[in-house]
Amino acid sequence: MVSAYDLPADQLYIAGEWRQGRGAPIRSHFPADGTLNRTLHGASVEDVDLAIDRAQSAVNDPAWRGLRPHERAGYLYRISNGISEAVERIAFVQSRDTGKTIAETRALAMSAAGTFRYMAAALETMEDTLTPPRGDYLTFSVHEPLGVTAGITPWNSPIASDAQKVAPALAAGNAILLKPASWSPLVCLELARIIEAAGLPKGLFSTLPGAGSIVGERLVTHAAIRKVSFTGGTEVGRGIARKAAEKFMAVSLELGGKSPTIVFADADLDLAVAGVMFGVFSSTGQSCIAGSRLFVQRRVYDAFTAKLIAATKRLRVGHSFKAGTQVAPLIHADHRAEVEDHVRRALAEGAELLTGGGRPTGEEYDAGTYYLPTILAGVSNTARICRDEVFGPVLVVLPFDDEADVIAQANDNEYGLACGIYTADFTRAWRVGRAIEAGTVWINTYKQFSIATPFGGVKESGLGREKGREGIRAWMSQKSIYLDMSQRPHPWAADCLKEDGA
Ligand code: NAD
């Protein structure tokens, strides 16, 4: 049973006040039926500047700057509890905003609560170090806040990706300004309500929905912003990295992927089929880590593919709020048109359609942005469908002969975000896992996550890591302090202190 809640009003949380944005209106639609959720006025450049200005004062105020780690952690615990208490409301708003199934948005909200709780606990147990001295002094390595920071997030899992930026940024003692994607502007306002109720000093957190080219650009280029943590597409990330270099700003980039999943002939095929399906078709494929290139060992290729096609045809495509839905609508009609283009191009390139390849038919699907889980085959790893990120429920299957062949094919790609390996041979799983160029490798599973385990990509999939204890350090500046213990003038100049003839 899904409860309905009021959607957030047309107000942004800027510099500790609720106010209408002065930027262009943004329209959030419910992808399952196309109804308008809310017209929300986005932030303007003036709004961004106001938020930055207040954040600078707030971050330097002793009321925040002077807090001990356990006191700062107190705010994060309260935010975590606030999210836990509002899971149903957050899930509802996020499903309306993104079309994701309510089961998934509940899980994302709970994961956001877990992120704040973990970062609070990590903060309380974080230590600075006393490093080995090479003279008569003590040396300390300490970590300090960066100052005013920004998080820029995509539309696919907003509450979870927002939490992954806001929680460590605050834990580290910063202020953070959050810019969500324009297709999913609403759920960050729920987070703002919770953060406000937790009593976080005003100005430390603002929500700035708006166009990437205006709001995002201003955040990235403003001199006062000391770090941008970006999750989104590779090309936008590249542009942000260039601008960050101009002002030597810290940047973390969680970008796209075209992740390989490898099924060896000795794998438990049922387990592998379920893992492959979950890896690419859950979240309707709108996932950076989607296992969208499948390599199956030639000996079991036909048997495995037949099983996979049959099981995929049984996936329940349906409304975001319908119990049991596995594949919900895509976020937006424009995005579905892009997914359709990818499939059309693949077919023109000579791909064979094994299942899907179109919209589901029936009255219940007419108003929503649905697309069927799709499997393609018959192309080589150099085909565009094996290179381009589709960000939809589209899988391409390729055969391979042996370990060396599959490692070469899997690594022959611009991206390096994740990889799945299915085999009964753990030594092989280890060997192949170590040889694959990716930030995360799953063995006999896929898309498992722990806030305690670092996450990020290599190659065109990004730079830097989020999560884990080190995830807080990524929002801090390290400082070395030498404390003299000799209490004597330096011998190099000591003679000069003596008066003539003394
Ligand atoms: P996107 O790159 O279009 O937008 C992401 C965010 O950047 C949005 O908030 C957008 O408004 C903003 N933006 C756009 N132009 C900007 C600019 N010039 N300056 C500053 N900000 C700007 O991505 P999307 O379409 O929202 O999301 C899909 C992409 O995100 C996919 O490529 C996916 O792989 C990636 N993604 C990566 C991860 C990861 O952790 N690696 C997770 C989720 C999504």
Side-chain angles (χ1 to χ4, degrees), residues 152-157 161 164 179-183 210-218 220 230-237 239-240 243 253-257 286-289 389 391 415 417 455-457 461 466:
I152 301 179
T153 54
W155 45 261
N156 61 325
S157 305
S161 43
Q164 273 166 37
K179 195 207 95 57
S182 296
W183 282 345
S213 56
I214 298 171
V215 174
E217 176 86 16
R218 185 70 176 172
V220 171
F230 170 80
T231 300
T234 295
E235 281 322 307
V236 177
I240 290 177
K243 285 166 199 149
L253 303 167
E254 302 285 352
L255 309 177
Q286 301 166 114
S287 167
C288 54
I289 46 172
E389 184 183 43
F391 223 61
Y415 293 111
L417 194 55
F455 178 77
S461 291
E466 290 188 326

Side-chain angles (χ1 to χ4, degrees), residues 258-282:
K258 191 77 196 179
S259 298
T261 303
I262 301 167
V263 178
F264 284 97
D266 65 351
D268 176 329
L269 295 193
D270 281 350
L271 186 151
V273 165
V276 166
M277 288 167 66
F278 179 67
V280 67
F281 297 134
S282 61

